[in-house]
Amino acid sequence: MDPVIIVGAGPVGLTLALALARQEVPSVVLDEGPGKDELRLARTVVLREDTAALIERLTGLPLDDAGFRWAGWRSMRRKQVTREIRFDGEAARGPKGAPDSPGAESGWGDGPRGAVAPRGTASSRDGEGPADGEEFSAPLHITQHALTGALREAIIHERLIKVAVNSRLDSVEQDGSGVTAHTRGPNGTWWRGSYLVGCDGPRSTVRKLQDIRFPGRTAVERHAVAALRTELPWPGEALLHRMTPWRASGPSAGEVSARPLAEDVWRLDWLLPPGKDLVTPDLLVARIRETLGGWSGGATPAYELLDTGVHTVHHRLARRWRAGRVFLAGDAAHLLGALGTQGLDEGLRDADNLAWKLALGWHHGPHTALLDSYQEERRAVVAARLRAADQALPLLRSGGGLRAYVPGSARGHDALLTDGHLGRGPLGAPGAYTGSSLMPPPTESHSPVDTEPGAPVVDVRVTAEDGSFVPLRERLGRGVLLVVLIAPGTGVWARKHWVTAGIMPRLAAAVTALPHPAELLVAESYPGAAAHTVLLVRPDGHLVTALGGVRPADLYEAAEAAIGGPATANAESAAEATAGRS
């Protein structure tokens, strides 16, 4: 069968190619450029815990070596620290008051020193926001060129991926059995593929060739950006500072964020007011000096300016993400990024969602319902996030609104922004596919756990079939379903002692009989799960269902629903896929 054609060699396209290769599906990546990435320290991305784990699983490289996990987060309003979060497991410090002037006595420089761990706790200094002890995961902050470089390095050693550089797409045709694409350039030629995925960015040629509308809003926000090497009073902590107390040079909306990278490099973003005011070098340098001086209590500390830019946020959503055998992913399908939401993080989730569905169709023939579910699931999640951001923007950015009438509303806004930046709440939390057509109907055997059906599973330790202990996330992305038995006590005994005891033989037989390959795993515990709960997990890590005990019929029904129902005849399915969706 022909390979999958992937248009675009950015992080989303390269991730999709690697995810397909892990499921034995070949692909051709059409790279419009020369195969190299511009080194830009001011162009960075923030990955949540599970998407960082996805990249590490695909590349085999620890991203912590190329990126930086924050030691903590703090929100400030004027001179007051309103919220502190630690990712080193230590409880955040209590209130210290609001001194009249910045400096060593203001508490601005009391950031943590020492090792960074993945989780921490949060507290609010003004008594609002989350309760003490709420857990957060440390985001990974990495330059985009380092991320793309790690993906390219992994592809070099992958026999199933071909990268065609200097290949610009100019036509796409599809029929009942595949897709034909033509590229122009020094190596212009025709390509034949089973499917084609447009990962070619906001100005997607694939989207335009399929005549798919891309409505939305332009220039929702603008930020002046600078990457510099310096020392700030809170080493390793990210900061969101609203209503800054110093007088800004030139037009300013009074909001700046500082996000640390490795080697004392920081990315600073200043929110610009609406309009198209030119950000000149002199204006940016003045902004840097007054911001660093304000945080340091007066004198501007030494700094080295490494890179600058202007980041413009757009909000757009493609009408369709599938047209027959052609799909859209990443920025070609959606643009978002205001209030802390991360567009690239969502693009990587697109690739993870689509890869196993394309792989199943490639190996076993098209499953129309399964392929349709990509648009159904991913578009709904991104649309919900865009709606949440668009509803919050007028309240957060205006000087009046509810802030003028509701006491403490500004503090609630700070908490909302923090949640967006840290991947929590409606602005940032990973989406759940609760309304997906792939979800099985509820049954009496359903056993509630802390993860709702359709949401990403928690990364617990499991025992694999060979008896080894591994994180659950390490078993994802191979195209198989995961069946996880919650069996307290199994972690302290060798697998040979319990694999043939109790309900295990019956469950193993049920797993073998499923309509799609599945792997049986055992976990000591899972949040909210009773003993002998059986979890069914999709290849992309989303929970299908949780059953109370071994229920072979219910497990089979859930597995069949998760793969789009019974496979249709190839000819009928192919014809339906080619017709596309309006």
Side-chain angles (χ1 to χ4, degrees), residues 468-483:
S468 61
F469 296 111
V470 296
L472 178 56
R473 285 195 183 123
E474 286 192 8
R475 312 308 294 175
L476 300 174
R478 295 174 299 119
V480 301
L481 298 170
L482 302 180
V483 178

Side-chain angles (χ1 to χ4, degrees), residues 122-134:
S123 72
S124 175
R125 289 194 171 193
D126 51 23
E128 301 202 12
D132 288 0
E134 180 183 357

Side-chain angles (χ1 to χ4, degrees), residues 385-473:
R385 181 149 298 149
L386 281 170
R387 283 195 300 271
D390 286 341
Q391 290 169 1
L393 269 170
L395 299 177
L396 293 171
R397 298 308 190 208
S398 66
L402 289 181
R403 183 183 308 169
Y405 304 101
V406 181
S409 61
R411 293 189 290 270
H413 297 166
D414 292 342
L416 182 65
L417 277 169
T418 296
D419 287 348
H421 280 280
L422 297 182
R424 311 267 304 185
L427 294 180
Y433 309 138
T434 51
S436 170
S437 59
L438 302 187
M439 299 306 299
T443 64
E444 292 183 358
S445 62
H446 176 71
S447 180
V449 298
D450 287 356
T451 302
E452 64 176 333
V457 293
V458 177
D459 190 26
V460 298
R461 189 182 77 158
V462 297
T463 305
E465 292 181 352
D466 61 1
S468 61
F469 296 111
V470 296
L472 178 56
R473 285 195 183 123

Side-chain angles (χ1 to χ4, degrees), residues 44-48 52 56 62-73 87 112-117 137-143 146-147 234-239 258-267:
T44 65
V45 297
V46 178
L47 301 182
R48 288 169 288 210
E56 291 181 334
L63 290 185
D64 286 13
D65 293 346
F68 188 83
R69 291 193 185 273
W70 299 339
W73 170 277
F87 300 125
R113 272 63 168 183
V116 177
S137 300
L140 177 74
H141 191 202
I142 186 172
T143 58
L147 175 62
W234 38 84
E237 289 187 31
L239 167 74
R259 290 173 281 187
L261 287 161
E263 299 179 349
D264 292 327
V265 175
W266 294 79
R267 169 174 166 165

Side-chain angles (χ1 to χ4, degrees), residues 64-84:
D64 286 13
D65 293 346
F68 188 83
R69 291 193 185 273
W70 299 339
W73 170 277
R74 63 176 58 200
S75 297
M76 297 184 65
R77 191 172 60 255
R78 296 188 179 91
K79 301 175 183 179
Q80 174 70 42
V81 176
T82 59
R83 199 180 193 199
E84 289 185 272

